[in-house]
Amino acid sequence: MLQPSRQPISVESIDPDPKAFLDDYVGRLHRATAVDDDVLAGVSATRALWLRTREQGGRVIFIGNGGSAGIASHLAIDLSKNAAVPALCYSDASMMSCLANDYGFEDWIAHAVRLNARAGDCLVAISSSGRSKNILNGVAQARTMKLDVITLSGMSADNPLRDLGDVNFFVDSRSYNIVETTHQFWMMAAIDLVIGRAEYPSS
């Protein structure tokens, strides 16, 4: 019989006070999503880049891993359906496994950009840590193709993704869920800013 290669990690049971936990949690989210001059400038610049992309006949390409990939897919759908800005997300499992198998996981996004992006496109790169090699390599490829780039990162202020875009969003938090929620919140705000309103029908 095959034996598991490792034992499950033991996690200490923690039973926090729900109100105290949620008060702290919501406070963290409030601080992360607070609008200052940098966030205002970033959301406004994102809107401008997306509108320029549409005017040039380009598409907005979203990339991410794990939870950030889920956010990327959601944003691509909403930007194209609700804001009429053509958008897509590299989330096809066959394409991912093909390119990762042929070129390595760290380079599959770079090759997806090389094969599919075109002049006038805009790349939105999402990485909570800002250190994912495949995201960084994808951004580097986009730069060689003269694409506009928007980055979203968090965790450490010195992460390498933070300064690679034309527009850069950084979430000053060590909580993955707070970082990811804030990334989605800012990008949803930019989508609604393109539309010009926060409330509208779903179809």
Side-chain angles (χ1 to χ4, degrees):
M1 176 183 290
L2 292 175
Q3 298 297 320
S5 60
R6 60 184 179 180
Q7 296 298 316
I9 298 173
S10 177
V11 178
E12 181 184 353
S13 177
I14 300 174
D15 188 18
D17 173 71
K19 185 177 187 308
F21 180 88
L22 289 174
D23 282 346
D24 173 73
Y25 204 80
V26 171
R28 291 169 185 262
L29 181 61
H30 177 75
R31 289 189 295 275
T33 57
V35 176
D36 58 20
D37 290 343
D38 288 340
V39 172
L40 178 60
V43 172
S44 298
T46 295
R47 174 185 181 272
L49 283 182
W50 287 349
L51 291 176
R52 186 172 76 180
T53 298
R54 181 172 65 186
E55 291 167 2
Q56 295 176 157
R59 305 154 304 170
V60 178
I61 301 168
F62 292 88
I63 58 173
N65 293 305
S68 295
I71 293 169
S73 180
H74 188 173
L75 294 172
I77 292 166
D78 281 15
L79 184 59
S80 57
K81 181 177 80 75
N82 297 333
V85 176
L88 57 93
C89 171
Y90 293 151
S91 58
D92 181 80
S94 296
M95 177 179 73
M96 183 189 306
S97 59
C98 171
L99 297 179
N101 183 62
D102 290 349
Y103 302 108
F105 188 78
E106 291 186 357
D107 289 314
W108 82 265
I109 292 178
H111 286 282
V113 172
R114 176 180 63 83
L115 293 169
N116 296 288
R118 61 198 185 201
D121 286 348
C122 173
L123 185 78
V124 180
I126 310 171
S127 170
S128 293
S129 69
R131 299 183 186 280
S132 299
K133 291 290 182 65
N134 60 349
I135 300 297
L136 295 171
N137 291 341
V139 169
Q141 177 63 35
R143 282 307 196 191
T144 68
M145 299 171 68
K146 311 300 184 186
L147 305 186
D148 291 325
V149 173
I150 298 167
T151 74
L152 296 105
S153 65
M155 301 292 174
S156 176
D158 65 353
N159 78 74
L161 183 62
R162 184 178 181 182
D163 297 318
L164 296 183
D166 300 288
V167 180
N168 299 288
F169 293 91
F170 170 73
V171 183
D172 187 12
S173 173
R174 301 299 186 271
S175 166
Y176 273 100
N177 287 338
I178 296 296
V179 172
E180 290 177 352
T181 299
T182 303
H183 285 168
Q184 183 156 342
F185 179 79
W186 284 341
M187 290 295 93
M188 287 296 188
I191 290 171
D192 286 350
L193 188 60
V194 171
I195 298 167
R197 51 186 172 169
E199 297 183 12
Y200 43 82
S202 61
S203 61

